[in-house]
Amino acid sequence: MVAKKTPGESTIYFIDFTQFYNISWPVDLPTLYEDDSVVVVAKPAGLATLAHPRHTLPAVATLCAPSLPVHRLDNGTSGALLLAKDRSTYDALRAAFRAGTIIKRYAALVHGMTPATATWHWPIAHHPRKWDRMLVVPARHIACRGHPQAAATEITTCGHVYPDQQRSSPYSLLCVTITTGVRHQIRVHLAHAGHPIVGDPLYGGPHPSDDPTATPLLHAWQLGFCSPATGAPVLVTAPLPATFVDPCTALRIPATLLQVSFPAKRVDEEVPGGFAAGDVNPCNDGL
C-alpha cells in the first residue's frame, strides 16, 4: 500500500488487490469532505469498512486510522463514508445516526418493475442458520438469531429500463433513503419486496454478466449531517463510480438517466454543505 499526497490535495491510497481478485484493482480513497472534526471518503466497492477476522481484505478503518468510521457500508457497496477524528465526535455522530437525523441516500439498480414510491417499515434480524445473511421478520414466530431491529426504507423510482426488445425482465433505477442503519438493510428490504439488487446473489439478484468479481449495484450517493466542528449542515455527494456506471451502461441504462437522477454536483452545492429547500436540515435537532 502506498499513500500519496500533494500539498493542498487530498490523500489517495493505492492498493494492489491482485492477490484477492482475478484482476489487478488499484483502489483509491479520495476525500470528499473534511473539517476539524470529520472526514468523508469515497469508499470503493469491494473494500471493507471494518477489519474482520473472517476477511483478509484491508479495511477503511485501518487505512484511515486514527479516524473512526461512524457507520458501515457493506463490502460491495461504494460511496460516501463518514469518519470521526476523535472519540467525542464519534459519540455525537453515532447518537445522530440512532436519532435518525443523518441523511443517507443511495443509488440502486434492481430487478423488476418497482412502484413510483414506497416506504417499508420491516424489522430485520440475523438469519437463524446462515451467518452472512439477514432477513425480514414480519412476525414473532419467524425463526431468527437475536432480536429484530426496526428498519425504515423509502424508495423513489427514477426510471424503468427493458434491456431487450421483448420487454421482458425490466430493471428499475432507484433513489433509496434510509433513516435507520441495520446490517444489509437496503438489500434485505428490496429482496423482500421482490426487487433484489442487480449483482447481489446473496439476496437473489444475480449479475447478468455472471462476473464473479461483480459487486451489487448499490452506491451511497449522498450523506447529510451536522458538523460538530462548525455546527453547520453538510451535504456530501459521492459521484457514481465506474463500478456502478459501467454495468448500467452494459444493461442499456441511459447515461442521461444516471446523470439526471444522481448528479455528481447539485446546483445548491455551490456553497459547501448547501441544502435544497426540500431537504431535512440535520442541524435542526443539533448534536
Side-chain angles (χ1 to χ4, degrees):
M1 178 183 69
V2 179
K4 296 183 179 180
K5 187 167 185 177
T6 303
E9 296 183 357
S10 302
T11 303
I12 296 180
Y13 297 89
F14 295 93
I15 311 163
D16 183 4
F17 274 70
T18 306
Q19 58 181 313
F20 306 114
Y21 291 90
N22 296 329
I23 57 174
S24 179
W25 189 15
V27 176
D28 62 337
L29 279 178
T31 298
L32 300 173
Y33 173 85
E34 185 172 12
D35 62 25
D36 291 340
S37 60
V38 301
V39 58
V40 180
V41 300
K43 186 188 91 65
L47 185 64
T49 300
L50 303 173
H52 193 284
R54 288 194 182 97
H55 301 154
T56 57
L57 295 178
V60 174
T62 304
L63 301 176
C64 295
S67 295
L68 304 170
V70 180
H71 61 121
R72 177 181 174 272
L73 295 179
D74 293 340
N75 291 5
T77 302
S78 57
L81 183 67
L82 176 63
L83 298 98
K85 292 186 176 182
D86 56 71
R87 188 70 197 191
S88 62
T89 298
Y90 173 86
D91 291 339
L93 289 171
R94 284 300 302 164
F97 268 99
R98 288 191 295 271
T101 59
I102 304 290
I103 297 171
K104 293 172 287 183
R105 296 192 185 103
Y106 292 71
L109 187 70
V110 303
H111 292 271
M113 185 77 72
T114 56
T117 60
T119 302
W120 304 310
H121 295 274
W122 294 331
I124 294 175
H126 288 270
H127 195 282
R129 296 178 302 277
K130 301 176 181 179
W131 67 268
D132 58 343
R133 292 195 60 173
M134 308 292 285
L135 78 166
V136 167
V137 185
R140 291 180 179 273
H141 67 273
I142 300 297
C144 63
R145 282 188 294 120
H147 297 287
Q149 301 179 62
T153 302
E154 176 184 334
I155 68 165
T156 300
T157 299
C158 304
H160 304 293
V161 175
Y162 294 90
D164 54 45
Q165 295 181 349
Q166 287 74 31
R167 297 179 67 82
S168 61
S169 304
Y171 297 107
S172 296
L173 182 66
L174 307 180
C175 180
V176 184
T177 302
I178 59 174
T179 55
T180 52
V182 181
R183 184 190 186 204
H184 296 183
Q185 175 179 326
I186 296 175
R187 299 162 64 190
V188 173
H189 274 182
L190 285 168
H192 188 75
H195 302 290
I197 295 174
V198 175
D200 189 10
L202 184 64
Y203 292 104
H207 197 286
S209 68
D210 294 324
D211 181 356
T213 65
T215 54
L217 295 188
L218 180 64
H219 174 72
W221 174 55
Q222 284 190 328
L223 186 65
F225 56 95
C226 186
S227 170
T230 65
V234 176
L235 184 65
V236 181
T237 298
L240 297 178
T243 51
F244 190 98
V245 174
D246 290 350
C248 285
T249 300
L251 295 173
R252 300 182 181 179
I253 309 298
T256 52
L257 179 60
L258 294 174
Q259 293 165 1
V260 170
S261 303
F262 303 100
K265 182 176 181 181
R266 290 168 30 160
V267 294
D268 56 311
E269 288 183 308
E270 296 295 336
V271 177
F275 276 64
D279 281 335
V280 176
N281 188 330
C283 293
N284 286 345
D285 296 316
L287 281 177

